[in-house]
């Protein structure tokens, strides 16, 4: 064990079961460990480094801002924050943006805005938030309550009250639950990422949208993992032709710096007033400058490249030996392998490819601009390992 690994084990809280690998640097979709071994990065820091490691344009944007103004309180205006909010609204049609620093914080804001909207409009008892079984919305006590997976809840009772879970793709159950309770919001991920890269059925998503509109229930779409080009559209809800009331995003938006955002439509844009919500670091100028450099490059041409790479992955892996199914969209891919996913990921690492898992699947979230030759190399290695492991 290297000295850094020993120090980490002694002093860093024991919440991560790390691989015995210390990554020290990288460029694009290749990262290097302390022993000089190189890996193709098919995880991008769990969907964060959208344009890879140390992308030139992103680095220049962040460093330039860093040397001008690294932080200012939200008592004052700063250019990157204002311009990023403008770009997010222009690209989505949403009206206002609240900035935090993570996915969980973006969801906290969405939940507060939805509850305040319902309280103002229908009464304070309209506070129920309905989410889906197998969902994941974060690790704070409130976003854990939103997360529809019991095993995350067990150790941390009592969680924030007012959250109910209903099966995905069962519109009648959702409607019943929403009408039997005084419901403020419905929150969904169009593709359940941590739940195993499981896309929701199109009809279900459309019906949830129509029902929420009809009942004046706020629809929150959690795009923390699916957002910013990841699924081949700027945001995954765009694949379903719906328009949510609140969209939350984080991870890939910052390209590697902490940022989270809740995008609010005309219904909820004015719900939170002065002092109702805030964050010391929210809208940080360096994070926002980095995010601007990411977001401005996610255009139609770029998204069609993402789709092209996605097509290649799905076509190459779908009928391969040792692979039972391939799910997801764009460059968010879940592979159900015949062998245990953890074993496949370990073998991939030995052969120089970093992959993730999600539940019982191997999960791929490469940088969106991963060059085709590297992608091909990584997918061939994954495919070979799936065949070998099946035997
Ligand atoms: N929502 C979804 C869909 C996520 O996938 C995640 C993280 O994996 C979160 C929320 C929480 O984001 P963060 O870890 O930035 O708080």
């Amino acid at each position: 064990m290297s000295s850094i690994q020993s120090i980490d084990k002694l002093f860093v809280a024991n919440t991560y079961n790390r691989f015995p690998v210390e990554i020290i640097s990288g460029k694009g979709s290749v990262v290097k460990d302390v022993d000089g071994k190189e890996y193709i990065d098919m995880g991008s820091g769990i969907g964060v480094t959208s344009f890879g490691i140390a992308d030139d344009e992103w680095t220049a944007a962040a460093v330039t801002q860093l040397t001008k103004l690294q932080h200012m309180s939200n008592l004052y205006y700063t250019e990157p924050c204002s311009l990023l909010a403008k770009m997010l609204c222009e690209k989505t049609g949403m009206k206002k943006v609240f900035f935090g620093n993570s996915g969980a914080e973006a969801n906290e804001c969405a939940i507060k805005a939805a509850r305040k909207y319902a309280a103002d409009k229908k009464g304070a008892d309209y506070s129920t938030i309905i989410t889906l079984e197998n969902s994941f919305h974060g690790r704070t006590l409130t976003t854990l309550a939103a997360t529809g997976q019991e095993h995350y809840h067990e150790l941390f009772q009592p969680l924030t009250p007012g959250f109910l879970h209903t099966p995905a793709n069962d519109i009648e159950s959702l409607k019943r639950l929403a009408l039997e309770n005084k419901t403020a919001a419905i929150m969904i991920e169009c593709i359940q990422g941590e739940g195993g890269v499981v896309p929701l059925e199109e009809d279900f998503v459309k019906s949830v949208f129509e029902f929420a509109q009809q009942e004046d229930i706020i629809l929150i779409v959690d795009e923390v993992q699916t957002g910013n080009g990841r699924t081949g559209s700027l945001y995954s809800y765009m694949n379903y032709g719906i328009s949510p009331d609140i969209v939350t995003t984080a991870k890939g938006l910052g390209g590697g710096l902490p940022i989270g955002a809740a995008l609010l439509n005309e219904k909820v844009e004015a719900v939170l007033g002065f002092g109702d919500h805030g964050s010391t670091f929210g809208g940080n100028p360096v994070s926002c400058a980095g995010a601007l450099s990411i977001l401005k490059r996610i255009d139609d041409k770029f998204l069609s490249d993402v789709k092209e790479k996605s097509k290649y992955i799905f076509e190459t892996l779908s009928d391969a030996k040792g692979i039972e199914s391939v799910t997801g969209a764009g460059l968010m891919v879940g592979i159900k392998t015949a062998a245990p996913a953890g074993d496949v990921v370990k073998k991939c690492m030995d052969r120089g490819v970093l992959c993730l898992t999600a539940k019982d699947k191997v999960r791929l979230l490469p940088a969106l601009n991963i060059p085709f030759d590297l992608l091909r190399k990584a997918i061939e290695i994954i495919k070979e390992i799936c065949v070998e492991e099946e035997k």
Side-chain angles (χ1 to χ4, degrees), residues 46 48 101-107 135-140 143 147 187-189 191-195 222-226 248-251 259-260 332 363:
I46 320 193
V48 168
N101 313 285
S102 65
E105 280 177 82
N107 285 338
S135 60
F136 185 85
H137 298 292
R139 301 277 193 166
T140 61
T143 56
T147 293
M187 175 147 101
I188 58 171
E189 300 154 89
I191 302 177
Q192 297 184 324
E194 299 304 307
D222 179 339
E223 296 272 3
V224 169
Q225 193 160 148
T226 49
T248 59
T249 175
K251 285 187 183 287
I259 191 167
M332 177 171 181
R363 176 173 41 158

Side-chain angles (χ1 to χ4, degrees), residues 221-285:
V221 177
D222 179 339
E223 296 272 3
V224 169
Q225 193 160 148
T226 49
N228 310 297
R230 176 58 54 192
T231 68
S233 292
L234 183 59
Y235 292 102
S236 68
Y237 74 81
M238 295 169 174
N239 294 327
Y240 297 82
I242 61 163
S243 32
D245 299 303
I246 306 180
V247 174
T248 59
T249 175
K251 285 187 183 287
L253 175 63
L257 287 166
I259 191 167
L263 281 52
L264 311 168
N265 78 353
E266 52 285 344
K267 237 186 195 182
V268 283
E269 63 170 310
V271 154
L272 296 173
F274 293 145
D276 287 341
H277 200 40
S279 160
T280 297
F281 287 109
N284 172 271

Side-chain angles (χ1 to χ4, degrees), residues 312-374:
Y312 164 75
I313 299 176
F314 278 82
E315 281 177 2
T316 311
L317 295 183
S318 288
D319 298 319
K321 275 216 167 77
I323 292 179
E324 292 171 4
S325 67
V326 187
T327 55
L331 291 174
M332 177 171 181
V333 180
I335 309 164
K336 177 80 188 76
T337 50
D343 294 354
V344 174
V345 167
K346 170 80 184 48
K347 283 265 156 60
C348 286
M349 182 177 286
D350 293 344
R351 299 262 299 270
V353 179
L354 299 184
C355 303
L356 305 163
T357 56
K359 288 237 163 132
D360 60 349
K361 290 187 184 162
V362 174
R363 176 173 41 158
L364 308 180
L365 298 170
L368 303 178
N369 67 347
I370 184 170
F372 230 111
D373 58 329
L374 281 182

